[in-house]
Amino acid sequence: MNKNAVYVLEQPKHSIVSIVLVNSEKLPLSPICHKNIDLLREFSDIFFVFSDKFNNREVNIPKFSNLYGACSYLCGDSTRIGFPIFTAISYCSNVFEKHYAYMITDTDKLGKVDKLEDKKKLLQEIALSGNDSPIFKIDRLGPEELGSIYLTESYADEEDNSEKDNVGIISSLLNFWKKRRKNKEADNIRLWSTHNSSSPILYIKSGTIKNLLNDYETEWFKDYLSSFVEEDLTYIFASYIKKLGLKNIDQSILEINIKGFNNGK
Amino acid sequence: MENNCYKQRGNNDKYPLEVLTWKLGEDVPDWLSDLAKIGAMDANTNKVSLETRNTNQGGYELLDSSGQGILLKTKNKTDLICKDTKKSAGGLFVLSLVQFNLIYDGRQDN
């Protein structure tokens, strides 16, 4: 299996796609997550995304994807999960060209959602509605969390301590260069992590997805994605939606009311 | 004329496993010049150019060899004409560069 390559098990047949990051610490999946994936499969095409970390465990990814009736899967080549997630989004948008709405979530969060069945009809109706705003409750990170980002000492210092035995001019220069490089990399970590979300699912329409993909192949966007080190997608999307200045419906899709989404009627 | 062959990165049975490609401005390969209407030929190099017709949407059309029908229509000037290597006749289709780079390995031009 090639990394960062999409494998299509069956062509999409729904107007909604559910992009699900498999990030559970333990497998098999919890009964709630298992049930929710089966439910999503009833009305959406499932696209599983695996990080490189996951691939190192003894999991047969094609079998897992087949058994859960996924339409596609891909495994990233790094633990920075933003890359495979955006590859999946781009593939759906540019190659499948079929879906009106995208739901982006992970198995960890799906394991904690207990009201999904009640929202099945709503999720389908919003896909066909005139609403274009992402449905995602976005919260500004508090001073403590921001502090933990800008006050964090670079990990380079810790690693450099282990290298203090090296002596000589060449070693010193090499260490200096390594330290500069590490500091530069460290400077990027969580640089754009300004917002988060308590919503377990990001619900977003295809028109807005095109906005998210505008910078997809730029160097800046690669920097952006590589700066998110946590395995939690909500930081990436909440911060990006705010950065783009997109108007969002500031509620979880699980708490939203059907009123107002039925083509304005 | 030598052409690079590109294989799928992953697998999507809607598309051929292996394709040849051509982009506007590149030397025209035989597999395409056999099917499309030729506009001109350089007597010294034997290189051909194809007759193209711009579309209102920013792409172009290639005419078939008879010049009567449309062989292929692109959405952009940068789109790639692809040919399924397993099909001796036909098997032509159009992909944008973004689509191509998601499905196939190798070609990085943007």
Side-chain angles (χ1 to χ4, degrees):
Chain A
M1 192 177 72
N2 293 330
K3 299 283 180 72
N4 270 337
V6 176
Y7 290 81
V8 179
L9 298 170
E10 56 181 46
Q11 296 300 324
K13 51 182 180 279
H14 297 286
S15 55
I16 302 175
V17 60
S18 299
I19 296 173
V20 181
L21 173 72
V22 182
N23 65 344
S24 300
E25 280 303 313
K26 286 182 184 173
L27 290 176
L29 295 173
S30 71
I32 297 173
C33 181
H34 172 89
K35 186 181 157 198
N36 283 334
I37 289 176
D38 279 353
L39 183 69
L40 288 175
R41 193 176 63 173
E42 288 176 20
F43 64 92
S44 71
D45 296 305
I46 294 182
F47 195 137
F48 282 124
V49 175
F50 298 82
S51 75
D52 187 47
K53 181 180 151 190
F54 197 96
N55 195 35
N56 291 333
R57 292 155 64 178
E58 291 178 3
V59 178
N60 186 319
I61 290 174
K63 270 189 186 175
F64 177 99
S65 305
N66 253 306
L67 291 168
Y68 276 103
C71 102
S72 316
Y73 64 88
L74 89 93
C75 182
D77 63 356
S78 102
T79 52
R80 305 288 163 93
I81 46 158
F83 291 103
I85 285 290
F86 268 84
T87 301
I89 294 171
S90 181
Y91 201 94
C92 291
S93 178
N94 292 299
V95 177
F96 290 149
E97 296 181 296
K98 182 180 171 67
H99 303 107
Y100 294 129
Y102 291 61
M103 296 199 297
I104 300 163
T105 184
D106 62 54
T107 52
D108 188 31
K109 291 191 172 60
L110 278 179
K112 294 166 189 161
V113 170
D114 58 359
K115 296 188 287 185
L116 197 57
E117 194 157 5
D118 305 342
K119 297 291 174 182
K120 186 176 154 186
K121 193 177 172 210
L122 172 72
L123 295 168
Q124 290 171 290
E125 293 225 359
I126 299 174
L128 303 172
S129 76
N131 166 60
D132 271 336
S133 302
I135 304 171
F136 204 42
K137 177 152 179 50
I138 296 178
D139 305 309
R140 175 79 168 117
L141 296 192
E144 290 293 320
E145 193 163 2
L146 287 189
S148 75
I149 298 169
Y150 64 75
L151 293 176
T152 300
E153 301 233 336
S154 93
Y155 59 79
D157 293 337
E158 284 176 28
E159 288 189 19
D160 283 341
N161 287 337
S162 65
E163 294 169 5
K164 65 186 173 188
D165 295 332
N166 291 333
V167 288
I169 293 171
I170 293 173
S171 294
S172 300
L173 284 172
L174 192 64
N175 285 338
F176 176 73
W177 178 81
K178 277 183 184 172
K179 188 175 179 180
R180 274 186 62 129
R181 188 167 153 261
K182 282 172 185 168
N183 277 331
K184 194 180 170 194
E185 285 171 5
D187 282 345
N188 187 28
I189 290 174
R190 301 198 70 190
L191 181 60
W192 290 282
S193 191
T194 56
H195 292 77
N196 192 12
S197 173
S198 53
S199 304
I201 297 171
L202 164 63
Y203 192 99
I204 193 161
K205 298 289 286 290
S206 57
T208 312
I209 282 289
K210 297 216 180 288
N211 284 333
L212 296 191
L213 291 173
N214 271 343
D215 289 328
Y216 175 59
E217 293 196 333
T218 63
E219 285 303 313
W220 175 82
F221 196 61
K222 285 173 191 162
D223 270 358
Y224 179 83
L225 291 181
S226 68
S227 72
F228 290 87
V229 290
E230 55 281 279
E231 277 214 335
D232 187 345
L233 292 172
T234 54
Y235 286 95
I236 297 176
F237 286 101
S239 302
Y240 196 41
I241 286 168
K242 283 293 176 189
K243 185 161 184 60
L244 291 177
L246 298 175
K247 189 183 162 198
N248 63 303
I249 294 175
D250 203 30
Q251 272 183 290
S252 166
I253 191 74
L254 301 174
E255 289 158 8
I256 213 151
N257 200 304
I258 198 161
K259 212 173 182 181
F261 283 103
N262 198 7
N263 292 321
K265 289 171 194 170
Chain B
M1 199 166 291
E2 204 51 44
N3 281 289
N4 287 326
C5 193
Y6 300 98
K7 290 182 178 173
Q8 282 207 29
R9 294 158 59 90
N11 185 48
N12 183 342
D13 61 15
K14 194 177 169 187
Y15 297 94
L17 284 175
E18 243 178 39
V19 291
L20 302 167
T21 64
W22 178 78
K23 191 166 80 167
L24 202 61
E26 294 177 347
D27 290 348
V28 181
D30 292 343
W31 55 263
L32 188 56
S33 61
D34 288 348
L35 297 169
K37 188 179 181 201
I38 292 170
M41 179 185 270
D42 187 313
N44 294 324
T45 62
N46 276 347
K47 284 184 179 175
V48 298
S49 61
L50 301 178
E51 192 163 314
T52 59
R53 209 158 57 187
N54 288 340
T55 67
N56 292 335
Q57 289 76 37
Y60 65 92
E61 292 170 343
L62 286 180
L63 301 178
D64 64 19
S65 52
S66 71
Q68 301 299 307
I70 295 166
L71 179 68
L72 286 166
K73 188 175 178 177
T74 71
K75 287 181 184 167
N76 291 294
K77 294 265 169 67
T78 54
D79 285 353
L80 296 168
I81 309 291
C82 304
K83 176 178 171 53
D84 183 349
T85 56
K86 297 282 185 287
K87 290 188 178 170
S88 53
L92 297 181
F93 59 100
V94 179
L95 289 177
S96 69
L97 273 172
V98 173
Q99 289 173 320
F100 185 88
N101 287 327
L102 284 164
I103 302 167
Y104 293 100
D105 224 348
R107 208 172 161 127
Q108 296 296 321
D109 49 348
N110 279 308

